[in-house]
Amino acid sequence: MANHTVAETIHVPYLEEKGILSWILSTDHKRIGIMYLVSISTFFVLAGIAALLVRLELLSPGKTIVDAHTYNVLFTFHGSAMVFLFIVPGIAASFGNFLIPLMIGARDVAFPRLNLLSYWLYLLGTVIILFSLLKPADTGWTFYTPYSIQTGTDVILLTFGVFVLGFSSILTGLNFIVTVHKLRAPGMTWHRLPLFIWSSYATAILQLLATPVLGITLLLLIAERVFGIGFFDPAKGGDPILFQNFFWFYSHPAVYIMIIPAMGVISEVIPVFARKPIFGYKAIAYSSLAIALISFLVWAHHMFVSGMSEVAATVFSFLTFLVAIPTAIKVFNWLATLYKGSIELRTPMLYALSFIFLFTIGGLTGVFLGTLAADVHLHDTYFVVAHMHYVMIGGTVMGFFAALHFWYPKMFGKMYNEAVAKVAWFLVFVGFNVTFFPQFILGMEGMPRRYADYPPQFHTLHEISTIGSWILGLGILIMALNLLRSLTNGEKAPDNPFNSLSLEWQIPSPPPHENFEKIPHVTDWTYGYGKKNNQEG
C-alpha cells in the first residue's frame, strides 16, 4: 500500500441524502459527476438506438424500414447526440468531476457553484436539442453549408443547443484547470499526479481554447439562416469552405477532448491489473499535452479534396503524421507496462486491453486518410466511418466502459457480477468488430458514407455489419442490466477491491461528503507497485 497519510474520516456517504432536490441543487463534485454519468448514459442509449435503426435500414438495398429523409434524420440525431451529448462530455465531465478532487487530495473542485452551473447548462442544451426533434434536422452532425442554410428542417434549434453545451464544456475546463493548479494536497507534486489528472488537465485546455471557435461558427450559421448575411452562401459571395475550416478547427481538437480522458483511464487501469509501475510516466504525462498542442494544427486533413493548395495539403499531411508520435508513445508505454506483468484479467482490464487493440487499428487506418493520394479515394467513404468508430467506440467508449467498471465500486459502494460483466465485454468486443471491420472493405470498394441506399454488390458486407450491431447492442444491454441490478442487489464493495495505490482508493466506498476529514499528505508515487519507497519525480 502507498504511504499516503490520511486521517480517519467520519464516513457519511455522499449518497446518503435522498430526494431529487438534494441532487439537482448539490454542489458536491461527486453528485455532479453522477448526474453527468446518468445524463450522458441516457443519450448514449438514445443515440445507440438511432444507430441500430440506421443499420437496420441498411440491412438490404432499397427501402427496408424508413425513407431516405427519415434515414438522414436518424443519422443526424445519432451523430449529434453521440458526439455532443455523450462522447465530448463523457469521461471528462462524469469521471473527471467525480475523481479529480479525490485523486489530488481535495475536498471539492475550485468553483463548486460554477460546477453545478456547468451541469445545468448541459441540461439546458439537451432540452433545446430534444425540442429540435419536433422538426428534426437532416444535415448530419457536421452541419455542412450550403445545405444547412437551405434545408427546411430545424437546424437553428439544434445548433443553438450545441452552442449552449459549449458553455458547459468551457466552464468545466476552467474549473478543472484551476482545481489541479490550486487544490493539490501537500506532497502531490506535478510528477506524482495520477496520469488521469494529466489527461484531464490537457483535455481542459482544449475545452477552454477550442470550444469558443465552435460557438462562433454556430452563431454565424444561425445568423446566416435568420438574416441571410452571406458568410457561407456562395450565391451571396460567401464561402461554404470557410465553414468547414471553422468547424474542423474546433472539431479536430474535439476528437482529442473525446479520446485523451480515455487514455488517462487506461493509464490508471493497466498498472493496477498488471501489478507493475507504469512504464515511462513522464513521457505519458507530457504526451497528453503534446497531443493537445498538435491537435490545433491538423484540422485541414478533413478537407484534402476541398481544393486547397498542394503546399497546404502537404503541410497538413505532415502534421497529421506528427500527431501519431505522442499517441504511439502512450501505446508503447502501456505495452511495456504489461510486459512481464502479473496480469489479472478483470473486467476493467479486458476493456483496457480492448482499447489498446482497437484504438491502434483506428490510429493506423488514420495514416491512410492522412496520406494525400489514398485520401482522394477513401474520402467520404465507409472507410472513414470505420476509422472514426474504431477511434471513438474502440477508443473513447471502451475507455468509458473500463472506467465505469473500475470505479463503479468506489462510486456506488457495490460490486457487480464479474462473470456477467465478462460475458457483456465479449459480446461488445465481438459485436463491435463484426459491425465496423467490414466497413473498411466497403470503403475501399467505393461505398460512400451517409447514403440511405446502395448497389446490390455491397449487400453482403452491409448485412454482416448490421448483424454485428445487434451483437454489440446485446452486449451493452447485458452490461447495463448487470450494473443497474448491482445498485440494489450487489455485494457491498470493499474500500479498495482492486488493491490500487491511488489516493481515491484509500478512503471508504462510497466516499464521504467531504472526501477527507483532514487533507492527506502524499509521500509516495501513485504507481509504485512492487517497489518500496518509490519516489518518482
Side-chain angles (χ1 to χ4, degrees):
M1 298 292 290
N3 294 328
H4 299 299
T5 306
V6 183
E8 184 177 349
T9 59
I10 300 173
H11 187 199
V12 181
Y14 79 98
L15 294 171
E16 187 174 88
E17 191 177 355
K18 307 298 182 183
I20 187 67
L21 287 181
S22 72
W23 285 87
I24 294 296
L25 301 178
S26 175
T27 57
D28 186 336
H29 69 97
K30 298 181 291 297
R31 287 195 165 217
I32 292 172
I34 295 298
M35 288 191 291
Y36 268 116
L37 181 62
V38 172
S39 301
I40 65 173
S41 297
T42 300
F43 285 104
F44 174 72
V45 170
L46 294 177
I49 291 171
L52 288 173
L53 293 174
V54 165
R55 284 305 331 160
L56 186 58
E57 169 57 33
L58 294 169
L59 178 62
S60 58
K63 179 181 176 181
T64 306
I65 57 169
V66 295
D67 59 22
H69 172 72
T70 306
Y71 174 87
N72 290 342
V73 166
L74 284 171
F75 85 69
T76 298
F77 176 75
H78 164 69
S80 301
M82 196 65 86
V83 170
F84 297 114
L85 299 180
F86 172 68
I87 294 183
V88 169
I91 296 174
S94 57
F95 293 101
N97 259 300
F98 192 95
L99 293 169
I100 288 175
L102 294 175
M103 284 183 153
I104 66 174
R107 290 201 169 95
D108 210 320
V109 293
F111 307 116
R113 288 187 177 89
L114 193 67
N115 200 22
L116 181 59
L117 175 61
S118 300
Y119 177 69
W120 285 352
L121 287 171
Y122 174 82
L123 283 186
L124 177 61
T126 61
V127 169
I128 294 171
I129 289 173
L130 290 176
F131 269 109
S132 75
L133 295 179
L134 296 175
K135 195 175 182 182
D138 60 350
T139 61
W141 73 275
T142 55
F143 317 120
Y144 273 0
T145 56
Y147 182 70
S148 60
I149 57 179
Q150 297 169 349
T151 176
T153 58
D154 205 342
V155 174
I156 292 178
L157 213 52
L158 176 58
T159 51
F160 183 67
V162 175
F163 175 78
V164 173
L165 290 173
F167 281 97
S168 172
S169 187
I170 291 168
L171 295 179
T172 298
L174 173 66
N175 218 339
F176 287 175
I177 289 172
V178 178
T179 300
V180 173
H181 272 276
K182 294 295 186 182
L183 298 185
R184 301 194 310 276
M188 182 63 79
T189 62
W190 282 96
H191 290 156
R192 284 179 180 163
L193 282 175
L195 289 166
F196 181 76
I197 302 298
W198 277 99
S199 68
S200 299
Y201 183 77
T203 303
I205 293 173
L206 289 173
Q207 289 174 297
L208 200 60
L209 297 181
T211 308
V213 179
L214 176 68
I216 293 168
T217 305
L218 296 181
L219 279 183
L220 291 175
L221 178 59
I222 292 170
E224 185 88 318
R225 286 185 62 92
V226 175
F227 303 112
I229 294 175
F231 290 115
F232 311 120
D233 187 351
K236 298 177 181 177
D239 184 3
I241 300 300
L242 179 63
F243 178 88
Q244 290 191 38
N245 277 289
F246 283 162
F247 182 85
W248 288 115
F249 186 81
Y250 160 78
S251 292
H252 202 81
V255 170
Y256 297 102
I257 292 174
M258 304 172 202
I259 196 67
I260 292 177
M263 292 173 168
V265 171
I266 305 310
S267 298
E268 296 299 323
V269 170
I270 284 178
V272 171
F273 294 102
R275 308 313 299 175
K276 276 184 63 183
I278 191 77
F279 183 88
Y281 167 87
K282 291 181 182 178
I284 295 177
Y286 292 131
S287 65
S288 294
L289 299 179
I291 291 171
L293 173 64
I294 300 172
S295 71
F296 281 103
L297 308 175
V298 298
W299 78 91
H301 70 210
H302 296 270
M303 303 166 55
F304 284 150
V305 298
S306 66
M308 68 174 64
S309 71
E310 291 183 4
V311 173
T314 303
V315 169
F316 281 109
S317 178
F318 170 76
L319 291 172
T320 300
F321 296 148
L322 188 64
V323 79
I325 295 174
T327 305
I329 286 171
K330 291 182 182 293
V331 173
F332 286 130
N333 285 0
W334 292 330
L335 295 176
T337 303
L338 291 168
Y339 180 65
K340 292 188 176 179
S342 181
I343 296 173
E344 185 180 8
L345 292 178
R346 301 284 289 270
T347 304
M349 186 63 156
L350 292 173
Y351 281 110
L353 296 176
S354 301
F355 173 100
I356 296 174
F357 177 72
L358 299 175
F359 178 76
T360 300
I361 294 175
L364 290 175
T365 52
V367 174
F368 289 75
L369 299 173
T371 305
L372 296 175
D375 185 72
V376 171
H377 174 66
L378 297 173
H379 185 81
D380 266 347
T381 68
Y382 261 79
F383 191 95
V384 179
V385 177
H387 159 72
M388 181 178 180
H389 283 83
Y390 266 83
V391 173
M392 293 295 95
I393 299 182
T396 304
V397 177
M398 289 296 175
F400 179 82
F401 290 160
L404 189 59
H405 287 85
F406 185 54
W407 283 293
Y408 184 93
K410 179 58 58 180
M411 299 173 91
F412 300 106
K414 298 285 189 177
M415 297 299 295
Y416 49 83
N417 186 304
E418 180 72 17
V420 174
K422 286 180 177 179
V423 170
W425 163 80
F426 179 77
L427 291 173
V428 166
F429 183 80
V430 171
F432 171 81
N433 284 287
V434 174
T435 302
F436 293 105
F437 195 82
Q439 295 179 11
F440 284 123
I441 304 172
L442 281 170
M444 287 188 287
E445 291 182 352
M447 173 70 203
R449 61 174 172 167
R450 302 193 180 107
Y451 277 44
D453 199 3
Y454 54 86
Q457 64 261 33
F458 297 130
H459 178 212
T460 300
L461 290 172
H462 271 296
E463 190 174 42
I464 293 171
S465 186
T466 298
I467 293 171
S469 72
W470 300 339
I471 300 171
L472 175 60
L474 177 62
I476 293 173
L477 176 63
I478 293 173
M479 177 203 306
L481 293 176
N482 184 32
L483 294 176
L484 290 173
R485 179 185 176 278
S486 301
L487 287 176
T488 54
N489 298 325
E491 296 181 6
K492 187 178 184 304
D495 292 344
N496 192 358
F498 305 127
N499 296 316
S500 171
L501 301 182
S502 187
L503 198 55
E504 78 274 17
W505 292 104
Q506 314 310 316
I507 60 175
S509 300
H513 271 290
E514 296 295 321
N515 299 344
F516 308 95
E517 182 183 8
K518 181 180 179 182
I519 297 298
H521 184 82
V522 180
T523 59
D524 277 358
W525 188 45
T526 305
Y527 303 100
Y529 297 97
K531 295 192 174 186
K532 294 182 179 179
N533 300 319
N534 192 297
Q535 299 292 326
E536 178 78 11

